[in-house]
Each structure stands twice: as C-alpha cells, then as structure tokens.
C-alpha cells in the first residue's frame, strides 16, 4: 500500500479544490517545490502531482512548477493534467517524471494510451474520475456517458501501470474514500487501482490495510494532509507495520 501525497497546481501554486471546482480552490503553499520537499522529508515514497490548469487547457501549463519539484526531490513522481499526446508523454518522462497519468485522452483517444503504454512500459497510468459512476473529462468540466469500468476494461491488456480512480463527489470534502466502488473496480480488472478523493483521516488508511482492499495499490491524500487531519508519521508507521 502506497500513500501518495498530492500536489495540485494552479497558477504555479499548490492548491486543493472541492469537487474539482476551480472556483473553490484553497491555496496551501505558494512554493510547490518547498511542499514537495516537505513531503519527502516526512518520509513519503511517491508523489502525486496534477496540473489543474493543464487539465482544462489540454496542454501543460505549470511546467515550471513541476520542474522545480523534480529538482528538489529524489522520490518518484506521477503527473497528470493536460497530457493529451505522445509528444507530451515523452517530454515529461524525459524530464524525470516516473509515471504520467492520462485522463481525458483515455476517454477520447484510447489508442494514445495503448501506444504510450507499449512505448513506455510501466510508466503510463490512466486517471478515471467518476461523477455518479460516469467518467468526467476536460478537468471534470464535462461528464461522459461511459462508466469507469467500461474504460478500464479497454486497457486490460495494454500494459497500463495503474488506474487512479477518483470519486468526484467526495474530492476535497474529507468525507472518506469511496472504497466500495474502488474495490469493486479493482476486483473487476487485473490493472492495479489507486483510490482517490475524500481521504479524511487515519481511519481511511486503516481501511486501505484491511484484507478486502489488498488488491489496491494505494491511496492519494490531499486536503487531510494540508489540514492536519492526517498525521503523516502515524499513517506511514501503520503502512510500514502492515508491510512487515
């Protein structure tokens, strides 16, 4: 189980949104590199970064902030937001990103995901963000007519490293992970699934460590870390103990 601390970038700053709404953004740190270093110092093993402006624009918009983070942390970084073509995938991996996350293009252009996953084995993840079970795209501004499972199944044999499943209704609201839906998705496919959206407290971390969640690769923590509702030392100690 990996606990991924999240850094969401908007206008070069580290923010958290509520339910993916850009108008409901709280700025938590003006310096994303300092935030990334803080997470590294706390002992996290893998960083999750989203270029929010990029998700809306369809191309990278916070490249400078991302590059500044890559300079200060040694841990692997996965990045999503505005990655819509092979050239962008290649560029980010070349700059030191460990794994790129393809979201909107996974719905609109499944062939891109398949080509990218084949070209860069183990380095392409798919981000599926669901509102009432249906996948949302374009920075969550639009909802498609397909379910997360429909899309996940398209990539079953494509070599995708992970599926990051976000429940938009819970994102940024500290209501707890939607583990039932995430585990159901994980049980229906062979691709590892990461839970995202709503992680609120140590109880969510404990739930991730129960036998029924064993297939999940991990969970993403955002607002709970910034608000101090989740103690990183306690959470990471629990995870280490479970691995032992």
């Amino acid at each position: 189980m990996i606990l991924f601390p999240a850094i969401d970038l908007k206008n070069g700053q580290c923010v958290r949104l509520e339910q993916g709404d850009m108008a409901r953004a709280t700025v938590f740190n003006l310096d994303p590199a300092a935030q990334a270093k803080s997470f590294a110092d706390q002992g996290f093993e893998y960083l999750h970064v989203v270029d929010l402006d990029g998700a809306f624009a369809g191309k990278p918009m916070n490249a400078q902030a991302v590059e500044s983070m890559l300079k200060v942390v040694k841990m692997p970084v996965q990045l999503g937001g505005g990655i819509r073509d092979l050239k962008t995938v290649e560029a980010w991996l070349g700059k030191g990103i460990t794994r790129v996350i393809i979201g909107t293009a996974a719905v609109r252009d499944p062939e891109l995901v398949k080509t990218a996953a084949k070209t860069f084995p183990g380095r392409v993840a798919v981000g599926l963000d669901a509102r009432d079970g249906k996948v949302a795209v374009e920075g969550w501004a639009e909802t498609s007519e397909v379910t997360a499972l429909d899309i996940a199944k398209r990539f079953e044999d494509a070599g995708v490293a992970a599926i990051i499943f976000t429940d938009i209704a819970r994102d940024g609201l500290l209501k707890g992970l939607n583990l039932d839906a995430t585990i159901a998705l994980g049980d229906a496919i062979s691709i590892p699934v990461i839970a995202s959206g709503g992680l609120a407290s140590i109880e969510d971390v404990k739930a991730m460590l129960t036998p029924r969640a064993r297939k999940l690769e991990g969970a993403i923590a955002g607002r709970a870390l910034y608000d101090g509702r989740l103690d990183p030392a306690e959470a990471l100690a629990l995870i280490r103990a479970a691995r032992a």
Side-chain angles (χ1 to χ4, degrees):
M1 145 81 174
I2 300 168
L3 188 62
F4 297 83
I7 293 182
D8 287 357
L9 298 169
K10 182 175 187 275
N11 302 329
Q13 299 170 338
C14 178
V15 305
R16 296 306 296 164
L17 304 186
E18 290 180 16
Q19 298 182 310
D21 185 346
M22 287 291 249
R24 291 152 75 194
T26 309
V27 176
F28 279 102
N29 199 324
L30 299 176
D31 184 348
Q35 186 62 61
K37 189 175 183 317
S38 166
F39 283 143
D41 293 344
Q42 286 164 7
F44 287 100
E45 300 171 347
Y46 210 127
L47 185 60
H48 174 81
V49 180
V50 178
D51 177 352
L52 294 171
D53 301 302
F56 281 90
K59 60 182 188 215
M61 298 294 284
N62 282 287
Q64 205 176 335
V66 175
E67 286 166 30
S68 71
M69 287 191 268
L70 290 171
K71 285 195 181 90
V72 299
V73 295
K74 295 279 183 279
M75 67 173 146
V77 178
Q78 62 181 20
L79 171 73
I83 300 171
R84 309 273 167 92
D85 55 47
L86 204 57
K87 204 172 94 186
T88 308
V89 171
E90 203 167 351
W92 277 128
L93 295 177
K95 283 177 178 174
I97 290 292
T98 305
R99 182 155 82 180
V100 294
I101 303 161
I102 299 176
T104 295
V107 181
R108 301 266 162 89
D109 185 6
E111 287 310 309
L112 167 67
V113 174
K114 292 175 183 174
T115 305
K118 202 173 285 174
T119 312
F120 304 104
R123 300 188 71 187
V124 176
V126 168
L128 297 181
D129 307 325
R131 187 183 278 121
D132 302 322
K134 300 284 174 66
V135 173
V137 293
E138 306 292 346
W140 299 355
E142 296 172 29
T143 305
S144 69
E145 283 308 306
V146 282
T147 68
L149 181 58
D150 291 339
I151 294 173
K153 282 191 161 162
R154 288 178 191 168
F155 304 121
E156 194 64 298
D157 302 313
V160 167
I163 300 268
I164 296 157
F165 176 72
T166 304
D167 181 348
I168 296 172
R170 292 172 184 242
D171 192 64
L173 297 184
L174 300 163
K175 286 183 173 174
L177 291 167
N178 185 345
L179 268 190
D180 291 343
T182 312
I183 290 168
L185 179 63
D187 286 344
I189 57 175
S190 60
I191 307 165
V193 175
I194 297 168
S196 166
L199 192 145
S201 69
I202 198 74
E203 296 310 315
D204 281 307
V205 177
K206 288 175 183 168
M208 284 293 300
L209 297 170
T210 57
R212 77 184 192 114
R214 192 169 286 141
K215 262 189 83 172
L216 301 180
E217 180 178 289
I220 291 165
R223 189 174 285 271
L225 287 171
Y226 293 98
D227 280 358
R229 290 165 197 251
L230 182 64
D231 175 358
E234 186 188 1
L236 293 169
L238 260 185
I239 293 165
R240 276 194 298 274
R243 284 179 190 166

